[in-house]
Amino acid sequence: MDPIEAANGLSFRVGFSGHSGHLRLEPLSTVESSDPVKSLPDFILPPAFPRETPGSIKEYIEEKYLSLRLDDEVFASEKVGRQWDFDWFDKADVPLEPSLPRCVVVPTWELPFRRQKNGSAEGEWEPKSVQVDVSELIVGARESGSLPRLAGPAKDFVRGSINNRPFRPGGLDDSQSLERVVPDGACNGEWVRELLVGGSPQAVPPSFKQGLDLGDLKAYPCSWNVYKDQSSMESTSDEKLSGLSVQFDDLFKKAWEEEVVEFEGDGQLSGSESVKSEDEAKEVDVAIDSCEPELSLLDELLSVEAGETKSRSNGTGEDDEQNPKVAWAISGGTEYIAQNFHDLVPNKAMDFPFELDKFQKEAIYYLEKGDSVFVAAHTSAGKTVVAEYAFALASKHCTRAVYTAPIKTISNQKYRDLCGKFDVGLLTGDVSLRPEASCLIMTTEILRSMLYRGADIIRDIEWVIFDEVHYVNDVERGVVWEEVIIMLPRHINIVLLSATVPNKVEFADWIGRTKQKQIRVTGTTKRPVPLEHCLFYSGELYKICESESFIPKGFEAAKDAFKKKNMSSATGGSGSQAPASASHDGTRSQKQSSNWGGKQKKQSGPQNSGNFSRTRGENQNKNGMNSWGLRRSDVSLWLSLINKLSKMSLLPVVVFCFSKNRCDKSVDSMYGTDLTSSSEKSEIRVFCDKAFSRLKGSDRTLPQVVRVQSLLHRGIGVHHAGLLPIVKEVVEMLFCRGVIKVLFSTETFAMGVNAPARTVVFDTLRKFDGKEFRQLLPGEYTQMAGRAGRRGLDKIGTVIVMCRDEILGESDLKHVIVGSATRLESQFRLTYIMILHLLRVEELKVEDMLKRSFAEFHAQKKLPEQQQLLMRKLAQATKTIECIKGEPAIEEYYDIHSEAENHNTEILEAVMQSPVAQQFLTTGRVVVMKSQSERDHLLGVVVKAPCATNKQYIVLVLKHEPPPQTPLGSGNLQDSKSTDFRQGFFVAPKSKRGLDEDYCSGVKTRKGKGVINIILPHQGSAAGVSFEVKGVDIKDFLCICNCKIKIDQVGLLEDNSSAAYSKTVQQLLDTKSDENKYPPALDPRKDLKLTDMNLVATYYKWTNLLQKMAKNKCHGCIKLDEHSKLAREKKRHSEEVDALKFEMSDEALQQMPDFQGRIDVLQEIGCIDADLVVQIKGRVACEMNSGEELIATECLFENQLDDLEPEEAVALMSAFVFQQKNTSEPSLTPKLSQAKQRLYDTAIRLGQLQSHFKLQINPEEYARENLKFGLVEVVYEWAKGTPFADICELTDVAEGMIVRTIVRLDETCREFKNAASIMGNSALYKKMVTASNAIKRDIVFAASLYVTGV
């Protein structure tokens, strides 16, 4: 660079130094020769840009703007697991279309004789037009068609919105269930018939001034066939009219729907498919003449509404549902399909490189026909072929198919398997990949949310594939499957894949009846790889089952070996400790120190011990325990088993242990075992390096990651919920590659991963199911044992059951191994979010959801029979009761008597038989007695109380019968002289009687002679009233009155004095009041000394009923017995009718009481109003899917998160999603402790409210089950930026559970963010965004290997 002259003559130069081109100032001598070399700069920069040419410019434009690729920064591979707010659909240039009108003008049709022709110039009729709402005309607004419901915003296309209306579920009974609403004139053929006879057509459209000039239309010769069903012959004239149906109407309606109308050559109208009556119909030909104006009869017939005519077609509407002959589940395929498969399906949507099995061909054939399919087969039998063909059909038809799975791992694995074959997208709680794809894989909860929120993508779905349908038995999540099946629109076909279940036809029948479509049931019970089952005891294998048949010889051989070993150990006299028995399964694990995770963990809660003992420390060797908490015999047992399997070439093997702790200890016990070759070690090392390279430095050195890698290098793996997700995926992928020889796993591996092995080993046949220790169910054993045997590699699969200290009984082994699989049972239950989603749509009722659940299937299936029975009972003729006293009152009397009878037993046992009451039953006490018919009661008086020789009361009662014509007791005097006392009483001589047995009268002072001159019962009449003297027991008394009369015992019992009878009867009659009422009863508290207030109230009610019966005009009627029988039959008939009506009503649903209680709770907290209209609080609750909706909603509306920082808020929210019950107590800040207590108090209050409304909920248990604060401290530190290794030291919760909780917590943040948007709380919205960003980092949100690949 040339020198620069300074002002004072000092020269300097400016140069560049370094590759960065920094300026450097150098002074120069005042005298400098002009050297051209020195004038060059020290560093010459290269040109900033290369020379631009037309070719380079074109290349740049094509690469920058014209190439189809995603933004590398946004869609980098390390960011795949994140949820980005990217709108895929705003990128499409969709032309704007005019919105649909809210209302339209439609014409109305009138009968000819009612038309007003004066309005037109030519006297012709012009139809009137009315303005109606579009939703009233086009039912598709609530249906699954493309119109008229407008598509929502593009951002809600996949997930839907709470503002959308869900699509109408298929199979709901509704008169508006047609695909297209047919106008009235088209339904009954009125307009067409009018045109055929030469009537004027409607040439001017509604609201138009001008129309078409069609000219003069001439009459067209035709005939009408009117059919009348035989079943309507016995009905009334009006019913006959409504039962008439016109054949042409049915044909035209069918033609209207199919847009096909055929005109035959002879000029008569007909359809391509004639609809005939099922019964023999009587055909009536009605000739129509164009010049005959009077068509009143035909007009009357044709004016019958289409809704009133009974459809004679098969397969639509309620008639099919009420027809018990319709088979919704069709099982049992034919050999014809398998033999002629290539002819039946010539153009397959997808070809397979292998020969399909019979059930696969049947399923594919039915899919091609558009039928729904239920496939039941064993594991690895090839059910996935059916799912793949449904994907292929969706791609061929340019529609969509949805694959749902109960576990996220299955979804990720299916995405990897199908990604290369189809256009696949993935939707889970935390991942959304290519939602615009034609084949979507998602969890069942995501699909349920889409259905409730009315996602527009549902319009395009043709197939929904349910994998692992037997998961419907899951207590917690089984209800989700039933909800989704019920909510699916009718245009969606269903593919169900399940393990073998005994009631598959029943389940398919429920789905078919619910969706009103036939379900084809197919499958196979044949295993692709046969299994053999063995017992492993004392180093030997004993085969006990082969080809699904039990082998008693093998079991006996194992029993003999067990006996010999026990005998030898007993005689050997060794001092070793006796082995622990299998009864130790229920022991609780103690505080243990494990080197598995590199931290101290307090394993709390019941864990399945799996027939082994526990230890308190690592270095304790007490009682034969080693440093891994296992007995030495267990360690040697595993080594001997693995060595034996290796020699027999039975590796790889999956060992199922039903405890995470047991899996870890079993793996650690194999510290000296190496099962891999050098090439396999190299493959494992390369794979692990690639997989874990996406983790940052500190996460790669986590104790669990390091420990798993060291195990994998030796060919040993472990798989359970406590592992990190990326670690589990590494184990699964390496096992599928065949480099892992021994895998210790929990039960979830059998369902969540499609990875068969050569051998399956059961550590024990007992498990802890969350409530108790129990034996494995046959279905659970079959599911896990099905992993044995690799199709195409193994000829037979081996299943081994470990036996340590005892061998299970033969019956128990038979039940588990060859027993029947678990039946599909409904786990349907009502949830608040389900109720709120259904209440916000008027057309969908909660009762409809309850009736269509699998739990109500059998009750709903009987409805047609019950309806027929009800109609028969209503048609039964009932006899009329003719009363001689005027208007019949027997029904009222019978009701009173029946109500009194309900209290009789209680009153007689508690009151009449009490010692206090018996003290009042003395001579002269007025009482009320039962009559012989027991439907009436009689007034009487106690003549003599029981004594030592006579155990009965002798009473005189007044009868309602008219007095006889014979003199008083004329026949009884003769009877008194008889010596036959079999029907009377024997009276002891006076010398042998006590003082209380002497006859004593208040009228006469003389004493009796000791002989009764009447035979009981003694009948007679006095004072115009019939009476009877008889002996009764205490149970025959109905009521004890509060009055007494004076009687002459000698005159009544010994002298048979008519004067004494007359006086006694007259005194009894005088005790009655003017209204024919009996004397008042004894006071229950003052006289009878009753202290039970409920019994006192019952006694008062009972005595009042007796008084009402006495006042009724039927009381004492001579036809009381006859009329009572008629009243009883009428009452029984009425009760049967009411019972049938109740069973057919919504009130009979099993969960209706629970529904009413939950409605009351929602009204009380303000989610809905009195009219069941969902309020803003209810809309917020609809957003809460990951936690308990009521507690979360109350937390938001009580502003419990407002005073918390984002880190504290997200930490508190972890209580909604954390699942583990027993954990170490977290150490919280005072602010978090206060927020925790506040949230817990809210849960207690809500629990008490639900308990108040009769819901079976314990407030404390409700709060504990829905709020678990074990990870509050961990999440708080994670949100603050603490490394993952450090937060693992804060708790005893496994690393995998921590990651799972934080991932679910991100979904909860999105739900709270949406709720804040509905509430209008911008501060909470921003806080949730900040909290979500704070927890989304590092290993917790590392992308799945299934999604991104390795």
Side-chain angles (χ1 to χ4, degrees):
M1 182 177 289
D2 296 334
I4 301 175
E5 293 290 337
N8 56 0
L10 180 63
S11 300
F12 62 90
R13 67 177 178 179
V14 179
F16 297 93
S17 64
H19 294 284
S20 58
H22 293 167
L23 293 176
R24 184 178 71 254
L25 188 64
E26 296 180 357
L28 299 176
S29 59
T30 55
V31 179
E32 184 176 0
S33 61
S34 58
D35 189 354
V37 177
K38 293 183 178 180
S39 64
L40 295 177
D42 294 343
F43 178 75
I44 302 177
L45 281 176
F49 300 100
R51 291 178 60 90
E52 298 290 354
T53 63
S56 63
I57 296 175
K58 180 180 179 181
E59 182 181 355
Y60 173 76
I61 294 176
E62 288 179 350
E63 181 182 359
K64 182 68 175 177
Y65 300 104
L66 302 181
S67 298
L68 296 177
R69 63 184 182 85
L70 300 177
D71 190 351
D72 295 334
E73 295 182 0
V74 177
F75 296 94
S77 59
E78 60 271 8
K79 300 180 180 179
V80 170
R82 301 189 180 184
Q83 180 77 26
W84 298 99
D85 296 331
F86 180 75
D87 198 341
W88 294 84
F89 305 98
D90 280 347
K91 300 300 180 182
D93 186 12
V94 181
L96 297 178
E97 297 179 358
S99 59
L100 291 178
R102 293 181 177 271
C103 56
V104 294
V105 180
V106 297
T108 59
W109 189 84
E110 295 178 340
L111 292 171
F113 58 85
R114 292 182 179 175
R115 297 173 181 172
Q116 301 293 334
K117 299 182 179 181
N118 299 330
S120 61
E122 301 179 359
E124 296 180 355
W125 170 67
E126 292 183 1
K128 297 181 180 179
S129 300
V130 294
Q131 181 175 316
V132 296
D133 191 6
V134 172
S135 61
E136 296 179 5
L137 284 181
I138 307 178
V139 185
R142 296 182 296 273
E143 291 290 328
S144 52
S146 58
L147 289 177
R149 199 187 100 167
L150 294 177
K155 63 184 181 64
D156 298 330
F157 182 80
V158 176
R159 299 278 184 169
S161 172
I162 195 66
N163 299 320
N164 292 348
R165 298 157 62 90
F167 291 91
R168 184 174 182 79
L172 287 184
D173 301 330
D174 195 345
S175 60
Q176 298 180 346
S177 61
L178 300 175
E179 292 184 359
R180 195 181 320 180
V181 172
V182 185
D184 292 338
C187 287
N188 51 34
E190 291 289 352
W191 286 1
V192 178
R193 185 195 63 81
E194 189 175 345
L195 289 176
L196 294 178
V197 298
S200 59
Q202 180 187 353
V204 181
S207 72
F208 277 54
K209 295 181 179 180
Q210 295 181 357
L212 299 176
D213 184 8
L214 301 178
D216 296 333
L217 299 181
K218 296 181 180 180
Y220 189 83
C222 59
S223 63
W224 293 79
N225 296 330
V226 182
Y227 284 84
K228 180 167 62 177
D229 295 337
Q230 292 285 349
S231 58
S232 62
M233 295 297 293
E234 300 177 358
S235 60
T236 61
S237 59
D238 294 336
E239 292 174 348
K240 290 181 180 179
L241 180 61
S242 63
L244 295 178
S245 56
V246 183
Q247 184 187 20
F248 176 80
D249 297 342
D250 297 332
L251 296 177
F252 185 82
K253 181 177 178 180
K254 188 175 185 64
W256 177 279
E257 294 178 350
E258 299 181 355
E259 298 181 356
V260 176
V261 180
E262 295 185 1
F263 291 92
E264 295 185 357
D266 57 357
Q268 292 191 356
L269 296 174
S270 64
S272 59
E273 296 182 5
S274 177
V275 185
K276 300 293 184 181
S277 174
E278 293 178 359
D279 301 328
E280 295 182 359
K282 180 180 180 182
E283 182 175 1
V284 182
D285 293 335
V286 182
I288 302 178
D289 191 356
S290 60
C291 60
E292 189 173 1
E294 295 185 0
L295 298 173
S296 59
L297 177 59
L298 185 58
D299 288 338
E300 190 175 0
L301 293 175
L302 294 175
S303 62
V304 178
E305 293 289 341
E308 297 174 358
T309 62
K310 294 184 178 180
S311 174
R312 294 183 295 271
S313 61
N314 291 330
T316 57
E318 299 178 358
D319 296 338
D320 291 334
E321 186 176 0
Q322 296 176 359
N323 187 2
K325 297 181 181 179
V326 176
W328 297 110
I330 303 176
S331 61
T334 61
E335 294 290 341
Y336 179 79
I337 297 177
Q339 295 173 358
N340 302 274
F341 174 70
H342 297 287
D343 297 333
L344 295 174
V345 190
N347 300 319
K348 294 188 289 293
M350 179 181 181
D351 292 321
F352 296 93
F354 51 85
E355 181 64 22
L356 298 176
D357 294 337
K358 176 185 174 183
F359 80 95
Q360 294 171 337
K361 293 180 179 179
E362 292 177 2
I364 290 176
Y365 170 70
Y366 294 136
L367 292 182
E368 285 282 357
K369 291 179 61 178
D371 294 340
S372 296
V373 180
F374 188 116
V375 181
H378 285 294
T379 304
S380 302
K383 299 188 294 291
T384 308
V385 168
V386 183
E388 291 183 3
Y389 199 83
F391 276 175
L393 279 178
S395 300
K396 180 181 178 181
H397 299 161
C398 297
T399 57
R400 297 179 189 269
V402 170
Y403 176 94
T404 67
I407 300 177
K408 180 182 174 182
T409 305
I410 301 180
S411 300
N412 293 338
Q413 191 176 36
K414 288 297 179 183
Y415 177 81
R416 184 196 63 174
D417 297 341
L418 302 175
C419 199
K421 300 179 181 180
F422 306 100
D423 179 25
V424 184
L426 179 64
L427 292 175
T428 59
D430 58 317
V431 176
S432 178
L433 290 178
R434 305 192 68 251
E436 77 282 1
S438 61
C439 302
L440 293 176
I441 299 174
M442 62 183 68
T443 56
T444 316
E445 283 79 5
I446 297 295
L447 180 57
R448 178 184 64 170
S449 177
M450 291 166 55
L451 289 170
Y452 277 136
R453 299 164 69 92
D456 290 315
I457 197 175
I458 295 175
R459 305 174 191 267
D460 305 334
I461 298 176
E462 182 183 7
W463 302 96
V464 170
I465 304 159
F466 294 95
D467 199 3
E468 308 287 351
V469 172
H470 48 275
Y471 203 81
V472 75
N473 284 338
D474 185 75
V475 178
E476 295 296 328
R477 298 172 58 197
V479 61
V480 181
W481 293 73
E482 293 190 53
E483 285 184 76
V484 170
I485 292 174
I486 295 173
M487 289 294 296
L488 283 177
R490 63 180 175 183
H491 74 277
I492 297 178
N493 294 322
I494 304 173
V495 178
L496 302 117
L497 310 178
S498 171
T500 53
V501 289
N503 61 333
K504 59 183 179 182
V505 177
E506 177 191 9
F507 191 77
D509 190 20
W510 164 69
I511 296 176
R513 191 172 297 274
T514 301
K515 310 309 295 181
Q516 290 291 294
K517 61 173 62 178
Q518 290 183 336
I519 309 295
R520 299 284 183 170
V521 181
T522 184
T524 180
T525 57
K526 179 183 177 181
R527 287 189 177 274
V529 180
L531 298 181
E532 63 176 9
H533 304 262
C534 304
L535 295 179
F536 182 77
Y537 180 73
S538 187
E540 296 294 333
L541 290 175
Y542 301 90
K543 186 186 297 186
I544 60 173
C545 183
E546 187 176 17
S547 301
E548 304 296 331
S549 59
F550 198 78
I551 304 176
K553 292 183 180 179
F555 178 76
E556 293 298 333
K559 273 289 189 182
D560 293 341
F562 174 73
K563 292 178 181 178
K564 289 180 182 179
K565 184 175 181 180
N566 286 347
M567 290 177 60
S568 61
S569 62
T571 56
S574 61
S576 61
Q577 183 189 3
S581 64
S583 62
H584 290 168
D585 285 339
T587 60
R588 290 184 175 270
S589 59
Q590 303 293 331
K591 204 176 198 180
Q592 300 174 359
S593 174
S594 173
N595 60 353
W596 176 256
K599 60 178 181 179
Q600 300 291 328
K601 293 189 177 182
K602 298 174 286 183
Q603 298 289 346
S604 55
Q607 299 286 344
N608 190 351
S609 62
N611 302 338
F612 70 97
S613 302
R614 303 282 181 168
T615 180
R616 285 182 175 272
E618 291 183 357
N619 300 321
Q620 293 181 2
N621 292 312
K622 183 180 178 181
N623 297 333
M625 307 291 287
N626 62 12
S627 60
W628 299 283
L630 296 176
R631 293 175 300 173
R632 293 193 183 95
S633 59
D634 267 357
V635 176
S636 60
L637 192 65
W638 285 121
L639 295 177
S640 63
L641 174 63
I642 299 304
N643 291 333
K644 191 173 188 64
L645 294 179
S646 179
K647 293 178 181 179
M648 298 174 65
S649 299
L650 294 180
L651 297 179
V653 58
V654 177
V655 181
F656 285 109
C657 305
F658 301 103
S659 164
K660 293 180 292 184
N661 188 39
R662 177 68 175 170
C663 285
D664 294 340
K665 290 181 178 179
S666 299
V667 168
D668 289 339
S669 67
M670 302 183 65
Y671 59 93
T673 305
D674 193 344
L675 303 172
T676 56
S677 62
S678 57
S679 60
E680 290 174 337
K681 293 181 188 298
S682 176
E683 181 181 355
I684 293 172
R685 183 176 295 104
V686 171
F687 184 89
C688 291
D689 291 343
K690 287 183 178 180
F692 295 126
S693 63
R694 64 191 61 208
L695 303 180
K696 74 175 189 178
S698 61
D699 292 337
R700 295 179 193 174
T701 58
L702 286 172
Q704 188 179 102
V705 175
V706 175
R707 184 67 173 170
V708 166
Q709 290 190 69
S710 65
L711 290 172
L712 294 177
H713 290 161
R714 294 187 281 117
I716 303 172
V718 63
H719 188 282
H720 55 70
L723 296 182
L724 295 167
I726 191 172
V727 174
K728 284 201 297 184
E729 291 177 352
V730 168
V731 173
E732 293 164 6
M733 290 182 174
L734 288 177
F735 187 82
C736 292
R737 292 190 176 195
V739 294
I740 295 181
K741 308 303 181 182
V742 180
L743 177 64
F744 291 87
S745 171
T746 53
E747 186 179 2
T748 55
F749 184 82
M751 177 175 289
V753 183
N754 183 17
R758 176 65 179 85
T759 306
V760 164
V761 175
F762 286 90
D763 178 56
T764 180
L765 292 182
R766 289 176 59 83
K767 62 175 287 189
F768 182 74
D769 60 0
K771 296 181 181 179
E772 61 180 355
F773 284 95
R774 61 168 175 82
Q775 196 168 331
L776 282 182
L777 299 176
E780 297 171 337
Y781 180 89
T782 303
Q783 176 77 16
M784 288 179 276
R787 294 301 174 190
R790 298 163 295 179
R791 189 171 188 176
L793 296 178
D794 305 323
K795 293 183 179 180
I796 192 169
T798 304
V799 183
I800 299 175
V801 178
M802 298 283 288
C803 297
R804 292 179 173 81
D805 305 320
E806 66 174 4
I807 297 179
L808 286 177
E810 183 176 357
S811 60
D812 293 336
L813 284 175
K814 281 185 177 180
H815 173 70
V816 173
I817 297 175
V818 297
S820 177
T822 307
R823 292 172 54 86
L824 295 178
E825 301 288 347
S826 175
Q827 303 296 335
F828 189 87
R829 68 182 189 278
L830 279 175
T831 59
Y832 289 106
I833 195 169
M834 180 197 307
I835 295 174
L836 291 171
H837 273 301
L838 296 176
L839 286 181
R840 68 186 184 88
V841 183
E842 297 179 359
E843 292 81 6
L844 302 180
K845 297 181 180 179
V846 183
E847 292 86 346
D848 292 333
M849 181 73 79
L850 293 177
K851 285 190 291 187
R852 281 157 180 79
S853 66
F854 190 38
E856 298 286 346
F857 167 61
H858 294 288
Q860 296 297 313
K861 192 175 181 180
K862 296 178 182 178
L863 281 182
E865 300 176 4
Q866 292 177 338
Q867 189 171 7
Q868 294 178 2
L869 179 61
L870 177 61
M871 297 302 295
R872 288 197 298 267
K873 287 189 174 294
L874 291 176
Q876 289 179 359
T878 57
K879 297 180 180 180
T880 58
I881 301 176
E882 299 179 356
C883 182
I884 60 177
K885 298 183 179 180
E887 188 70 21
I890 185 62
E891 295 183 7
E892 179 186 359
Y893 185 86
Y894 182 80
D895 292 340
I896 299 174
H897 172 264
S898 300
E899 189 177 358
E901 281 293 321
N902 295 333
H903 303 298
N904 275 350
T905 303
E906 181 181 3
I907 297 299
L908 290 177
E909 292 180 356
V911 180
M912 294 302 173
Q913 297 183 8
S914 64
V916 179
Q918 295 179 10
Q919 293 177 2
F920 286 94
L921 293 176
T922 57
T923 302
R925 173 65 62 180
V926 178
V927 293
V928 178
M929 307 293 299
K930 291 181 181 179
S931 65
Q932 292 181 353
S933 65
E934 294 188 358
R935 297 183 186 88
D936 198 2
H937 47 274
L938 309 173
L939 187 64
V941 62
V942 178
V943 178
K944 186 177 186 303
C947 58
T949 57
N950 182 21
K951 301 300 183 181
Q952 286 187 315
Y953 290 91
I954 299 178
V955 296
L956 181 147
V957 295
L958 303 182
K959 304 180 67 177
H960 300 304
E961 301 173 359
Q965 300 298 327
T966 58
L968 173 65
S970 59
N972 291 326
L973 290 175
Q974 299 294 331
D975 294 338
S976 65
K977 300 177 182 179
S978 175
T979 58
D980 189 4
F981 292 96
R982 286 179 299 174
Q983 295 181 355
F985 292 87
F986 176 78
V987 182
K990 181 178 179 181
S991 59
K992 296 183 179 181
R993 295 201 304 265
L995 294 177
D996 59 338
E997 293 179 337
D998 287 341
Y999 294 139
C1000 184
S1001 171
V1003 180
K1004 297 183 179 180
T1005 57
R1006 76 178 185 88
K1007 296 183 178 180
K1009 298 179 180 180
V1011 179
I1012 297 179
N1013 295 327
I1014 61 174
I1015 297 178
L1016 302 180
H1018 171 76
Q1019 299 180 356
S1021 61
V1025 179
S1026 299
F1027 66 86
E1028 181 181 18
V1029 181
K1030 60 181 179 179
V1032 298
D1033 295 325
I1034 186 66
K1035 63 181 180 180
D1036 295 323
F1037 290 98
L1038 280 180
C1039 181
I1040 306 176
C1041 300
N1042 62 355
C1043 59
K1044 295 181 66 175
I1045 61 175
K1046 295 181 180 181
I1047 60 173
D1048 183 4
Q1049 287 184 339
V1050 176
L1052 297 176
L1053 300 178
E1054 191 173 324
D1055 297 343
N1056 196 11
S1057 170
S1058 59
Y1061 282 112
S1062 298
K1063 186 174 182 180
T1064 303
V1065 170
Q1066 188 60 49
Q1067 290 184 52
L1068 277 177
L1069 293 175
D1070 292 341
T1071 58
K1072 289 188 175 183
S1073 62
D1074 297 337
E1075 299 179 355
N1076 200 31
K1077 292 176 61 176
Y1078 291 156
L1082 292 174
D1083 187 270
R1085 289 178 293 182
K1086 295 181 180 179
D1087 300 329
L1088 299 178
K1089 311 299 182 183
L1090 297 181
T1091 57
D1092 188 353
M1093 298 309 299
N1094 294 329
L1095 184 61
V1096 169
T1098 304
Y1099 183 84
Y1100 279 128
K1101 184 178 182 179
W1102 181 66
T1103 55
N1104 291 334
L1105 291 173
L1106 295 181
Q1107 295 290 357
K1108 289 182 180 180
M1109 290 175 63
K1111 292 173 58 179
N1112 193 287
K1113 62 182 178 181
C1114 295
H1115 184 66
C1117 179
I1118 58 176
K1119 291 190 175 184
L1120 179 61
D1121 289 346
E1122 177 186 351
H1123 289 176
S1124 295
K1125 292 180 180 178
L1126 294 177
R1128 183 177 68 252
E1129 294 178 0
K1130 193 173 182 180
K1131 184 74 173 179
R1132 180 180 55 81
H1133 180 267
S1134 176
E1135 290 176 351
E1136 291 177 354
V1137 170
D1138 293 341
L1140 280 175
K1141 290 181 178 179
F1142 175 78
E1143 291 177 3
M1144 296 171 62
S1145 67
D1146 294 342
E1147 299 298 325
L1149 298 174
Q1150 297 179 8
Q1151 300 196 36
M1152 185 55 67
D1154 184 58
F1155 169 60
Q1156 297 294 345
R1158 291 180 183 271
I1159 286 292
D1160 294 337
V1161 172
L1162 291 174
Q1163 289 179 340
E1164 183 69 22
I1165 65 178
C1167 288
I1168 58 176
D1169 60 8
D1171 297 326
L1172 304 185
V1173 177
V1174 179
Q1175 306 298 303
I1176 185 173
K1177 202 171 188 179
R1179 294 184 61 197
V1180 169
C1182 288
E1183 294 285 347
M1184 305 301 170
N1185 294 304
S1186 57
E1188 215 290 330
E1189 50 268 24
L1190 292 190
I1191 303 178
T1193 304
E1194 288 297 306
C1195 172
L1196 289 180
F1197 276 84
E1198 291 177 359
N1199 299 323
Q1200 296 187 15
L1201 303 180
D1202 283 5
D1203 58 341
L1204 301 179
E1205 296 298 324
E1207 296 82 4
E1208 297 170 332
V1210 73
L1212 185 66
M1213 290 161 55
S1214 67
F1216 291 110
V1217 295
F1218 183 49
Q1219 298 294 325
Q1220 189 170 320
K1221 294 182 179 180
N1222 301 310
T1223 61
S1224 59
E1225 189 67 24
S1227 176
L1228 305 180
T1229 62
K1231 196 173 182 180
L1232 272 177
S1233 299
Q1234 182 181 0
K1236 169 189 171 183
Q1237 187 62 39
R1238 185 169 53 194
L1239 186 60
Y1240 185 81
D1241 293 342
T1242 299
I1244 291 292
R1245 176 173 56 83
L1246 289 173
Q1248 293 172 348
L1249 180 64
Q1250 296 175 79
S1251 178
H1252 172 72
F1253 285 109
K1254 311 301 181 185
L1255 295 180
Q1256 301 299 322
I1257 288 179
N1258 181 278
E1260 288 77 14
E1261 184 178 350
Y1262 171 78
R1264 287 195 303 268
E1265 288 294 326
N1266 293 287
L1267 293 178
K1268 299 180 178 66
F1269 299 96
L1271 286 185
V1272 173
E1273 180 186 8
V1274 171
V1275 176
Y1276 177 66
E1277 293 296 333
W1278 176 253
K1280 289 173 60 178
T1282 305
F1284 188 81
D1286 295 339
I1287 67 169
C1288 291
E1289 300 294 334
L1290 301 176
T1291 180
D1292 60 349
V1293 180
E1295 293 90 336
M1297 187 64 68
I1298 295 175
V1299 172
R1300 182 183 176 188
T1301 300
I1302 298 177
V1303 170
R1304 292 190 62 196
L1305 192 56
D1306 179 55
E1307 184 179 354
T1308 307
C1309 289
R1310 288 200 299 271
E1311 295 171 359
F1312 275 55
K1313 182 178 66 175
N1314 296 336
S1317 178
I1318 296 175
M1319 298 169 60
N1321 191 340
S1322 58
L1324 180 62
Y1325 184 94
K1326 296 178 181 178
K1327 184 176 296 185
M1328 290 298 102
V1329 172
T1330 305
S1332 178
N1333 294 332
I1335 62 175
K1336 290 199 312 189
R1337 60 182 177 87
D1338 299 345
I1339 191 173
V1340 174
F1341 284 84
S1344 171
L1345 299 179
Y1346 289 117
V1347 176
T1348 61
V1350 181

